[in-house]
Amino acid sequence: MTVAGIIAEYNPFHNGHAHHITATREAGATHIVAVMGGNFTQRGTPALLPKADRVKMALAGGADLIIELPLPWASAAAERFAFGGVSILENMGCIDRISFGCEAGEIQPLNAVINAVQDPRFPDLLRSALKEGISYPEAQQRAVTALTDQQTAAVLSEPNNTLAIEYGKALSILQSTIVPYPVLRQGAVHDADTPEDRFASAGWIRANLLDGGLETVRPFMPTEAVNLLDSALESRHCLTDTTLADRLMLSFLRRLDLSQFAALPGVSEGLHNRLYTAVQTEESLKKVILAVKTRRYTAARLRRIVTAAYLGIPARWEQQTPPYIRVLGFNQNGRDLLQKMKKTARLPLVSDPQQLPDDPFAKEIFELECKASDLYGSMLPCPLPCGQEYTVGMIRY
């Protein structure tokens, strides 16, 4: 048994994801685990489809076992998103390699950057660059250039390379024996404006599903994923338009006072004043983000802050490690892997809420997940009832 782990969102599952899973299996993986974020994404936005539908897409697309990346890590910036996912894979106790798509396609250029960001001089160089008011990605690239050269640092200019480097850092911090396995990303780059061959980015698919409908995106998704998407559209459980979601978030933000803005995760250096003013004066959440956005505070970072406020994600939870391994779905291969994990897992395996460990932090995390699920359900064109975390069981494919 050779087990590969993948950290993903599948928002939605497309041909690029299918290629990644196929390439991972062709490289020798007999079992593939996907650690998948739930109803809110790493960019701080609600997912296109409820997580149960995305679990079904992933299993239909070749994954064997789907494990949940809990909300505080799933909606965090790249460093903590990667750390949360890698820590779950490490604590499964049976993962041989972590497979990820990236623009580099090989490990050597990634390792050169990983070594640089772990250099003792890196934090001071990073802080110095951030003081100039530039974004974190720009500051990181500048600090790596100072320690290596422009060619090495240029690896950081591609978004999936950046995430791959965070996986490498997390493996090092956890002193993991899991082997990184990069897969060259095919076709359209992350959030590309146009498709390439049979490949389109998830961002393009989401945008064009709203504008052009299912037939526009059909060529870029596996058949079973398209069928699941079609069913979600028909039942009106697909979030093609976030206008209502944004309105709900804005109405909540308008109830917060200045001190509550100051206490939000990721808020510093007077950002709470600007956020508070924009929320009180702008007519939409999109305009709030545009009014506050700077080179330092990107739209994605601001969306994460807004989502943390709306969902009630406490600051610094993502600095800890996920307290359990929650199973969302599996096939026969996945069932075999679960049997092995009963002996190897270093965290409690949870397939039912009744199996949650008797641990305050674990219970707080799950209660947060339940609240987020209920709020997500209210954003859909046809709202889902509360309690989905209890009523929707594991998906058996």
Side-chain angles (χ1 to χ4, degrees), residues 56-386:
K56 293 173 187 175
M57 286 183 172
L59 292 170
D64 298 312
L65 176 65
I66 313 298
I67 302 295
E68 182 165 54
L69 179 60
L71 180 63
W73 298 271
S75 61
E79 182 179 19
R80 305 316 299 177
F81 174 89
F83 181 80
V86 171
S87 67
I88 287 178
L89 294 174
E90 173 67 16
N91 282 305
M92 289 172 67
C94 59
I95 304 297
D96 299 298
R97 62 183 66 163
I98 177 172
S99 177
F100 45 84
C102 62
E103 294 84 1
E106 54 185 2
I107 199 65
Q108 290 83 1
L110 299 174
N111 279 340
V113 179
I114 291 168
N115 290 335
V117 298
Q118 293 183 310
D119 187 300
R121 296 167 292 174
F122 178 79
D124 286 340
L125 290 167
L126 181 66
R127 279 191 291 270
S128 176
L130 286 171
K131 286 179 180 177
E132 297 182 25
I134 62 177
S135 69
Y136 184 89
E138 289 177 289
Q140 190 179 41
Q141 192 166 346
R142 184 180 297 183
V144 171
T145 300
L147 292 169
T148 57
D149 53 57
Q150 286 188 337
Q151 183 177 357
T152 300
V155 171
L156 285 164
S157 63
E158 300 290 354
N160 289 283
N161 285 347
T162 300
L163 198 51
I165 288 157
E166 296 299 344
Y167 295 145
K169 282 171 52 183
L171 290 171
S172 177
I173 291 168
L174 294 167
Q175 298 183 322
S176 176
T177 59
I178 297 173
V179 177
Y181 177 71
V183 174
L184 180 65
R185 187 179 175 90
Q186 294 293 310
V189 299
H190 183 76
D191 278 353
D193 291 334
T194 56
E196 184 177 324
D197 195 14
R198 297 180 303 106
F199 299 98
S201 70
W204 186 93
I205 290 172
R206 292 192 300 271
N208 284 272
L209 181 63
L210 173 61
D211 295 337
L214 189 65
E215 293 309 310
T216 306
V217 305
R218 184 184 296 274
F220 309 105
M221 298 175 64
T223 300
E224 290 195 57
V226 171
N227 292 341
L228 286 162
L229 179 56
D230 188 20
S231 177
L233 286 166
E234 187 173 345
S235 63
R236 301 179 66 223
H237 291 152
C238 183
L239 197 63
T240 53
D241 187 351
T242 61
T243 301
L244 173 60
D246 287 354
R247 181 69 63 86
L248 289 171
M249 287 189 176
L250 181 60
S251 66
F252 173 83
L253 292 174
R254 287 186 171 180
R255 298 203 300 272
L256 302 184
D257 61 31
L258 195 56
S259 65
Q260 289 171 308
F261 275 99
L264 294 177
V267 170
S268 60
E269 300 173 351
L271 179 62
H272 61 292
N273 290 306
R274 299 179 59 223
L275 261 175
Y276 177 78
T277 300
V279 164
Q280 298 298 316
T281 57
E282 299 294 340
E283 62 190 38
S284 70
L285 188 58
K286 183 179 292 186
K287 289 187 176 181
V288 169
I289 300 297
L290 288 174
V292 182
K293 177 183 172 184
T294 63
R295 289 179 69 191
R296 174 98 182 250
Y297 295 104
T298 64
R301 179 174 176 179
L302 293 169
R303 285 292 316 212
R304 283 192 291 270
I305 291 170
V306 165
T307 298
Y310 182 66
L311 300 178
I313 304 174
R316 292 180 295 280
W317 269 15
E318 78 283 359
Q319 300 295 327
Q320 302 183 57
T321 56
Y324 51 74
I325 300 170
R326 187 183 181 199
V327 182
L328 296 181
F330 58 88
N331 60 17
Q332 184 57 54
N333 252 8
R335 186 191 298 273
D336 295 340
L337 186 54
L338 284 171
Q339 290 300 316
K340 181 174 183 177
M341 285 171 57
K342 288 179 180 179
K343 300 176 182 178
T344 64
R346 305 183 193 103
L347 289 173
L349 270 175
V350 176
S351 56
D352 182 277
Q354 301 303 318
Q355 297 172 334
L356 282 168
D358 187 19
D359 169 69
F361 185 52
K363 290 180 178 179
E364 286 177 323
I365 292 293
F366 186 71
E367 287 171 3
L368 176 67
E369 208 77 60
C370 290
K371 182 171 74 170
S373 180
D374 293 344
L375 291 172
Y376 174 81
S378 69
M379 295 174 171
L380 297 171
C382 180
L384 289 168
C386 291

